[in-house]
Each structure stands twice: as structure tokens, then as C-alpha cells.
Amino acid sequence: MSGFEGSFLGANDKISTQAIMECKICWTPYDPAEGDDTRQILPGTPFIALPDDWKCPNCDAPKEQFLVSEDPGSDVVREAEVIAAKTDALVTDFTEVWHAKMRDVPMVNKLLHVQAVGWKIHEGRPLGVLISPWFMNLIQLPADGEDWSDLVAGAKEVISFPSGDYEFIHNTREMTGGYKACSLFSPMGEFNSQKQAMDVAEAVMLALFQEENRAETDRSAEIRATREAEIAAQEEVKQGQDEAEVEAESIPVIEEPNRRQVLTAGLSEKAG
């Protein structure tokens, strides 16, 4: 059986594991928290995990005749769908950059690949970390129905989180559209594996929302001045690179104050 007739045109993937279903013939509910004693279905068994031959315990209607009565987890399902669609486009964009322009650049770490990690919806917008062989960035994407196609590449914006204020750089990509990026690591030579980079990315997303980090991160003027000085000093090294492709990812991470140590609770010191 591929689905159920009564809801979402048979799409089982549109309901969550918490969905309470109801027989459209006799209105008998199936609650995953209770299971079904008549078929020895244990409590905690989602409707979508019931055997294909399971039937309504009251009228023997087949499983596909059940409708969604309520689904406390549906918001989670929808959020996951939004994040998946947007991060898939982001990963595709930067995977193309990797294959087309960055693979032979000496600064890249070929032990790594492009991956979106730790994504969530924050204030209506997808937020998470993008790992690549040449950078790790905190990325914010537009909400559904929000158009960021007019973002000016290179424009700066300070965005506040519980841990402090962070400087993001605007840009656009063909598939992703407009996005905002805050540089965490670049280059990525100190990482020995993709798993190690993923662990640090997850730690970033946790620390970002911890208020105890605010005192160290709320220094945007000093951060900006230090970063701009380092960028100027490295102009000669960066010559010949396509700035349109490296954009925010090529901006070096400052050493004092060291934002990535704040975000990762010191993990970056151990990353190498």
C-alpha cells in the first residue's frame, strides 16, 4: 500500500509520527500513543508504521480509509520540508562551485565536502551552517514567500542572536537566490575529517543561542576593524582568485577576538 485514500491524496510522508488518524467509515480513532490491543500494536507505534493488512478495529475498514484527525507533529514535518528544499539548493550551488572553480585551489581541504549542518527555522527563516572544503559559514536564508533576489553582493548586515551580534555578508546564487553568510572558518586546513567539521558546526548552532556568550561576542566594531585590516594585508595573496566565487568564504577569520572559539566553546582550538 502506497498511502491512504482519505488525506493528502495518499501521501504518507505528509503526516508525522504523532498523527492521530480516524476511520472515515465509523470514526474510530487510531492514536499512536495508545496503539491497538486488538492487533497487539504497541503504544508508540505511528500510523504510518502499521502493517499493510491492519484494519479498523471497529468496522474492519482498511488502513487507507483513515483520515487525519489531528497531527501535533505536522508543523515539524512542514519545517523539515522547507529546510530540505532550501538547503538542497544551497548545497547544489556550492558543490558546483567546488567542481568548477575550487577543486584545484591550494587552500582547499579535499577531506571535506559540501554539507548543510544543524539547520533550523529561526524567526521564520532557515538558519544553519554550510561546510565546504574551503569554508565554514553560518548562513541565513529567506523565509517562504520572502524575496532576497535584490541583495547587493558584499553588503554587510549585523544580525543579533542571544549570544551577541554577528556580521553577515549578502550574496546571491543561481539556485539559492539571496542569502546572508557569516564566516566561521576559512580556510579549512585544520579539520581532519568531515565528522570533525560537522561536530564543530553543531556546536556553533548550540552556542549561538546561549546568552552567556554575549559578553565576548558583542564587539562588532572591533571585530570589523580587525577583519578589514587583515583583508587589506592579504590582498596580494588573494589576487587571481575569483572574488565573485569566494565572496564571504574567503574572508579570513580574525584571531582577536576569536569569534569561532566563542561560538564553538573552544572546540576550534582542538580542530586541528
Short mmCIF file of all heavy atoms in Angstrom, two decimals, residues 127-160:
data_model
loop_
_atom_site.label_atom_id
_atom_site.label_comp_id
_atom_site.label_asym_id
_atom_site.label_seq_id
_atom_site.Cartn_x
_atom_site.Cartn_y
_atom_site.Cartn_z
N LEU A 127 18.12 28.82 9.16
CA LEU A 127 19.43 29.23 9.66
C LEU A 127 20.24 27.99 9.95
O LEU A 127 19.73 27.03 10.55
CB LEU A 127 19.28 30.05 10.94
CG LEU A 127 20.57 30.50 11.63
CD1 LEU A 127 21.20 31.68 10.89
CD2 LEU A 127 20.30 30.87 13.09
N GLY A 128 21.49 27.98 9.53
CA GLY A 128 22.34 26.82 9.82
C GLY A 128 23.75 27.05 9.31
O GLY A 128 24.12 28.15 8.90
N VAL A 129 24.53 25.99 9.35
CA VAL A 129 25.94 26.05 8.95
C VAL A 129 26.12 25.33 7.62
O VAL A 129 25.54 24.26 7.40
CB VAL A 129 26.84 25.43 10.04
CG1 VAL A 129 28.29 25.37 9.57
CG2 VAL A 129 26.74 26.24 11.32
N LEU A 130 26.92 25.93 6.74
CA LEU A 130 27.31 25.27 5.50
C LEU A 130 28.80 24.98 5.56
O LEU A 130 29.61 25.89 5.77
CB LEU A 130 27.01 26.14 4.28
CG LEU A 130 27.29 25.48 2.93
CD1 LEU A 130 26.30 24.34 2.68
CD2 LEU A 130 27.21 26.49 1.79
N ILE A 131 29.14 23.70 5.43
CA ILE A 131 30.53 23.26 5.39
C ILE A 131 30.94 23.06 3.94
O ILE A 131 30.15 22.53 3.14
CB ILE A 131 30.70 21.92 6.14
CG1 ILE A 131 30.36 22.09 7.63
CG2 ILE A 131 32.11 21.37 5.98
CD1 ILE A 131 30.27 20.77 8.37
N SER A 132 32.14 23.46 3.59
CA SER A 132 32.69 23.16 2.27
C SER A 132 34.18 22.89 2.46
O SER A 132 34.72 23.09 3.55
CB SER A 132 32.49 24.34 1.30
OG SER A 132 33.52 25.29 1.45
N PRO A 133 34.88 22.42 1.43
CA PRO A 133 36.32 22.19 1.56
C PRO A 133 37.14 23.45 1.77
O PRO A 133 38.32 23.38 2.08
CB PRO A 133 36.68 21.51 0.23
CG PRO A 133 35.43 20.87 -0.23
CD PRO A 133 34.36 21.84 0.17
N TRP A 134 36.53 24.64 1.59
CA TRP A 134 37.30 25.87 1.75
C TRP A 134 36.71 26.88 2.73
O TRP A 134 37.32 27.90 3.01
CB TRP A 134 37.54 26.53 0.39
CG TRP A 134 36.35 27.11 -0.32
CD1 TRP A 134 36.00 28.43 -0.36
CD2 TRP A 134 35.38 26.42 -1.11
NE1 TRP A 134 34.86 28.60 -1.11
CE2 TRP A 134 34.46 27.38 -1.60
CE3 TRP A 134 35.18 25.07 -1.44
CZ2 TRP A 134 33.38 27.04 -2.39
CZ3 TRP A 134 34.09 24.74 -2.24
CH2 TRP A 134 33.22 25.71 -2.71
N PHE A 135 35.55 26.60 3.30
CA PHE A 135 35.00 27.50 4.31
C PHE A 135 33.95 26.79 5.16
O PHE A 135 33.41 25.75 4.78
CB PHE A 135 34.36 28.74 3.67
CG PHE A 135 33.08 28.44 2.93
CD1 PHE A 135 31.86 28.42 3.59
CD2 PHE A 135 33.09 28.19 1.57
CE1 PHE A 135 30.69 28.15 2.92
CE2 PHE A 135 31.91 27.92 0.88
CZ PHE A 135 30.71 27.89 1.56
N MET A 136 33.68 27.37 6.32
CA MET A 136 32.51 27.02 7.12
C MET A 136 31.82 28.34 7.46
O MET A 136 32.41 29.21 8.09
CB MET A 136 32.88 26.28 8.41
CG MET A 136 31.65 25.84 9.22
SD MET A 136 32.06 25.19 10.88
CE MET A 136 32.98 23.71 10.44
N ASN A 137 30.57 28.48 7.02
CA ASN A 137 29.82 29.72 7.22
C ASN A 137 28.52 29.45 7.95
O ASN A 137 27.86 28.42 7.74
CB ASN A 137 29.47 30.38 5.88
CG ASN A 137 30.63 31.15 5.29
OD1 ASN A 137 31.71 31.22 5.88
ND2 ASN A 137 30.41 31.74 4.14
N LEU A 138 28.12 30.40 8.76
CA LEU A 138 26.77 30.46 9.28
C LEU A 138 25.92 31.15 8.22
O LEU A 138 26.28 32.24 7.75
CB LEU A 138 26.75 31.24 10.59
CG LEU A 138 25.40 31.40 11.30
CD1 LEU A 138 24.87 30.05 11.74
CD2 LEU A 138 25.55 32.34 12.49
N ILE A 139 24.82 30.52 7.81
CA ILE A 139 24.03 31.02 6.68
C ILE A 139 22.59 31.28 7.12
O ILE A 139 21.99 30.46 7.82
CB ILE A 139 24.01 30.00 5.52
CG1 ILE A 139 25.42 29.66 5.04
CG2 ILE A 139 23.13 30.52 4.37
CD1 ILE A 139 26.06 30.70 4.18
N GLN A 140 22.06 32.40 6.70
CA GLN A 140 20.63 32.68 6.86
C GLN A 140 19.99 32.77 5.48
O GLN A 140 20.52 33.43 4.58
CB GLN A 140 20.40 33.98 7.62
CG GLN A 140 18.92 34.22 7.95
CD GLN A 140 18.69 35.55 8.65
OE1 GLN A 140 18.87 36.61 8.05
NE2 GLN A 140 18.31 35.49 9.91
N LEU A 141 18.85 32.09 5.30
CA LEU A 141 18.11 32.09 4.05
C LEU A 141 16.76 32.76 4.24
O LEU A 141 16.26 32.84 5.37
CB LEU A 141 17.92 30.65 3.55
CG LEU A 141 19.19 29.86 3.22
CD1 LEU A 141 18.86 28.43 2.88
CD2 LEU A 141 19.95 30.52 2.08
N PRO A 142 16.15 33.23 3.17
CA PRO A 142 14.85 33.92 3.31
C PRO A 142 13.74 32.95 3.70
O PRO A 142 13.79 31.76 3.42
CB PRO A 142 14.62 34.50 1.92
CG PRO A 142 15.41 33.63 1.00
CD PRO A 142 16.62 33.21 1.77
N ALA A 143 12.72 33.49 4.36
CA ALA A 143 11.54 32.71 4.69
C ALA A 143 10.76 32.39 3.43
O ALA A 143 10.97 33.00 2.37
CB ALA A 143 10.66 33.50 5.67
N ASP A 144 9.86 31.43 3.51
CA ASP A 144 8.99 31.13 2.38
C ASP A 144 8.20 32.38 2.01
O ASP A 144 7.60 33.04 2.88
CB ASP A 144 8.02 30.00 2.76
CG ASP A 144 8.46 28.67 2.18
OD1 ASP A 144 9.53 28.62 1.56
OD2 ASP A 144 7.74 27.67 2.38
N GLY A 145 8.20 32.73 0.74
CA GLY A 145 7.50 33.90 0.27
C GLY A 145 8.28 35.19 0.38
O GLY A 145 7.82 36.25 -0.04
N GLU A 146 9.49 35.12 0.93
CA GLU A 146 10.35 36.30 1.08
C GLU A 146 11.35 36.32 -0.07
O GLU A 146 11.98 35.31 -0.38
CB GLU A 146 11.08 36.23 2.42
CG GLU A 146 11.73 37.52 2.84
CD GLU A 146 12.27 37.45 4.26
OE1 GLU A 146 12.54 36.33 4.76
OE2 GLU A 146 12.43 38.51 4.89
N ASP A 147 11.50 37.48 -0.71
CA ASP A 147 12.36 37.60 -1.88
C ASP A 147 13.63 38.37 -1.53
O ASP A 147 13.58 39.55 -1.21
CB ASP A 147 11.62 38.32 -3.01
CG ASP A 147 12.43 38.40 -4.30
OD1 ASP A 147 13.51 37.78 -4.35
OD2 ASP A 147 11.98 39.08 -5.24
N TRP A 148 14.78 37.67 -1.59
CA TRP A 148 16.07 38.30 -1.33
C TRP A 148 16.89 38.44 -2.61
O TRP A 148 18.10 38.59 -2.56
CB TRP A 148 16.87 37.51 -0.29
CG TRP A 148 16.40 37.70 1.12
CD1 TRP A 148 15.34 38.45 1.54
CD2 TRP A 148 16.98 37.13 2.29
NE1 TRP A 148 15.23 38.38 2.91
CE2 TRP A 148 16.22 37.58 3.39
CE3 TRP A 148 18.06 36.29 2.52
CZ2 TRP A 148 16.52 37.21 4.71
CZ3 TRP A 148 18.36 35.91 3.82
CH2 TRP A 148 17.59 36.38 4.91
N SER A 149 16.25 38.39 -3.75
CA SER A 149 16.99 38.43 -5.02
C SER A 149 17.66 39.77 -5.26
O SER A 149 18.57 39.88 -6.09
CB SER A 149 16.05 38.11 -6.19
OG SER A 149 14.99 39.06 -6.26
N ASP A 150 17.23 40.81 -4.53
CA ASP A 150 17.82 42.12 -4.74
C ASP A 150 18.94 42.45 -3.75
O ASP A 150 19.40 43.58 -3.67
CB ASP A 150 16.73 43.21 -4.66
CG ASP A 150 16.04 43.24 -3.30
OD1 ASP A 150 16.23 42.29 -2.51
OD2 ASP A 150 15.29 44.20 -3.03
N LEU A 151 19.40 41.45 -3.00
CA LEU A 151 20.52 41.69 -2.09
C LEU A 151 21.75 42.11 -2.88
O LEU A 151 22.03 41.57 -3.96
CB LEU A 151 20.85 40.43 -1.28
CG LEU A 151 19.85 40.00 -0.20
CD1 LEU A 151 20.38 38.78 0.54
CD2 LEU A 151 19.57 41.12 0.78
N VAL A 152 22.48 43.08 -2.37
CA VAL A 152 23.69 43.57 -3.03
C VAL A 152 24.89 42.78 -2.54
O VAL A 152 25.18 42.77 -1.34
CB VAL A 152 23.90 45.07 -2.74
CG1 VAL A 152 25.20 45.56 -3.37
CG2 VAL A 152 22.71 45.87 -3.24
N ALA A 153 25.56 42.09 -3.45
CA ALA A 153 26.70 41.25 -3.08
C ALA A 153 27.76 42.09 -2.36
O ALA A 153 28.16 43.15 -2.85
CB ALA A 153 27.30 40.59 -4.32
N GLY A 154 28.19 41.60 -1.21
CA GLY A 154 29.22 42.29 -0.45
C GLY A 154 28.70 43.24 0.60
O GLY A 154 29.47 43.69 1.46
N ALA A 155 27.41 43.57 0.56
CA ALA A 155 26.84 44.44 1.59
C ALA A 155 26.86 43.73 2.94
O ALA A 155 26.72 42.51 3.01
CB ALA A 155 25.41 44.83 1.22
N LYS A 156 27.07 44.51 4.00
CA LYS A 156 27.19 43.93 5.34
C LYS A 156 25.96 44.23 6.18
O LYS A 156 25.33 45.27 6.04
CB LYS A 156 28.44 44.48 6.04
CG LYS A 156 29.73 44.11 5.33
CD LYS A 156 30.93 44.76 5.99
CE LYS A 156 32.23 44.43 5.25
NZ LYS A 156 33.40 45.08 5.89
N GLU A 157 25.64 43.30 7.05
CA GLU A 157 24.49 43.46 7.94
C GLU A 157 24.81 42.78 9.27
O GLU A 157 25.28 41.65 9.29
CB GLU A 157 23.24 42.84 7.32
CG GLU A 157 22.03 42.88 8.23
CD GLU A 157 20.82 42.17 7.61
OE1 GLU A 157 20.89 41.76 6.43
OE2 GLU A 157 19.80 42.04 8.31
N VAL A 158 24.55 43.46 10.38
CA VAL A 158 24.74 42.86 11.71
C VAL A 158 23.41 42.25 12.15
O VAL A 158 22.37 42.92 12.15
CB VAL A 158 25.22 43.91 12.72
CG1 VAL A 158 25.27 43.30 14.13
CG2 VAL A 158 26.60 44.42 12.33
N ILE A 159 23.44 40.96 12.48
CA ILE A 159 22.24 40.25 12.92
C ILE A 159 22.46 39.80 14.36
O ILE A 159 23.52 39.27 14.71
CB ILE A 159 21.94 39.05 12.02
CG1 ILE A 159 21.71 39.52 10.57
CG2 ILE A 159 20.72 38.27 12.51
CD1 ILE A 159 21.49 38.40 9.58
N SER A 160 21.45 40.01 15.20
CA SER A 160 21.56 39.70 16.62
C SER A 160 21.00 38.31 16.94
O SER A 160 19.96 37.91 16.40
CB SER A 160 20.81 40.75 17.44
OG SER A 160 21.38 42.02 17.28
#
